[in-house]
Amino acid sequence: MHEDARISRRTSLLKIGGLLAGAVAAGGWKAADSLSATDEESSSAGPAGVASGVVACVLAPEQTEGPYYLDDHKVRRNITQGKPGVSLSLRLTVVDVSTCKPIRSAAVDVWHCDAGGVYSGTSVQDTEDARFLRGIQRTDAKGVAVFRTIYPGWYSGRTVHIHVMVYLGGNVVHTGQLYFPDKLTDAVYRRLPYSRRPNRNTRNGADSIFRNGGSRSLLELRRSGTGYTGSITMGVQRS
Ligand code: FE
């Protein structure tokens, strides 16, 4: 299945990302290697810690590949295309991991499944020609890319996630997945249209990809109207 292929590739990328994180930490970048496993779960570490100024920077799992060409049709802020669900604003900040300074004009590419667990653009799910819940935005001077979407649904064997890639000058500098606190997902999934489906079968702790550094890619979520705003800072390496 199309998505499975992506997942297995991502698993290996996350592993490489972990090695990179270790290498950078050993080179004098303090935040990651001074954290215990417990610290990584707490709000003072990781992306939330960056936002609150507790830690200086975060190295998100990443991998360089390329060249890669952007699909111009996906350049848009609102990616919902009428798909029903709880509204979600994404505020994704890209910083240079060696300086912690925001990176302007990075292209951020996101995609996720709908409330029923279906992706656009896949022949397996008969959505080859559709582009719902996929989009690209450029970061502003503060390194921020904003999207309007819906809270993702779930599909079997995976916890709730959003795929993300960051491109700089045509090269992929970050490949990863963004995650949600399980308690919040529980609350969201009690609402329509999510509540029409059975309970998801995989939570964060049981997801093999999440377990490989996913706690550093948890979105920080705040209520916003009837929905939520999800924020995260992704540290990337300019090569
Ligand atoms: Fe996926």
Side-chain angles (χ1 to χ4, degrees):
M1 180 173 165
H2 174 74
E3 187 60 18
D4 284 345
R6 284 186 176 280
I7 287 165
S8 57
R9 183 168 143 270
R10 267 157 225 291
T11 306
S12 63
L13 291 178
L14 284 167
K15 280 175 186 155
I16 293 164
L19 291 174
L20 277 174
V24 172
W29 176 74
K30 269 188 89 177
D33 71 339
S34 62
L35 297 172
S36 69
T38 314
D39 286 336
E40 281 193 349
E41 301 297 327
S42 81
S43 60
S44 66
V50 170
S52 63
V54 174
V55 292
C57 205
V58 150
L59 181 64
E62 65 172 281
Q63 171 66 17
T64 302
E65 47 181 71
Y68 201 96
Y69 300 98
L70 300 179
D71 178 356
D72 286 341
H73 300 295
K74 291 193 301 182
V75 178
R76 56 193 178 162
R77 174 161 291 176
N78 186 338
I79 63 175
T80 54
Q81 282 191 236
K83 285 284 173 184
V86 169
S87 76
L88 176 67
S89 284
L90 290 172
R91 262 186 84 80
L92 310 180
T93 304
V94 179
V95 299
D96 183 327
V97 75
S98 56
T99 63
C100 293
K101 289 191 174 148
I103 297 178
R104 177 189 210 143
S105 283
V108 180
D109 189 350
V110 298
W111 68 99
H112 64 86
C113 65
D114 69 8
V118 175
Y119 281 93
S120 64
T122 164
S123 55
V124 178
Q125 295 178 306
D126 231 7
T127 58
E128 253 170 322
D129 297 329
R131 288 293 176 270
F132 57 82
L133 306 178
R134 292 176 181 272
I136 296 169
Q137 287 289 280
R138 295 260 176 200
T139 55
D140 64 15
K142 291 178 175 172
V144 180
V146 175
F147 293 93
R148 280 195 53 207
T149 188
I150 57 164
Y151 207 98
W154 66 276
Y155 58 94
S156 188
R158 286 304 319 281
T159 193
V160 185
H161 62 276
I162 293 176
H163 295 272
V164 60
M165 283 182 123
V166 180
Y167 315 83
L168 271 178
N171 289 315
V172 176
V173 292
H174 173 74
T175 302
Q177 299 185 20
L178 307 176
Y179 298 98
F180 298 80
D182 277 317
K183 275 188 186 165
L184 178 63
T185 300
D186 290 339
V188 169
Y189 281 12
R190 282 194 285 273
R191 296 166 61 177
L192 286 170
Y194 310 90
S195 59
R196 291 200 188 100
R197 298 183 69 208
N199 287 330
R200 65 196 188 281
N201 61 16
T202 308
R203 299 169 73 89
N204 287 342
D207 183 296
S208 60
I209 301 176
F210 178 88
R211 284 205 305 259
N212 206 333
S215 60
R216 282 183 290 142
S217 300
L218 272 170
L219 288 163
E220 185 183 322
L221 285 131
R222 292 206 173 83
R223 253 187 179 288
S224 172
T226 59
Y228 297 90
T229 297
S231 309
I232 195 166
T233 297
M234 300 176 288
V236 305
Q237 220 145 19
R238 285 181 191 271
S239 45

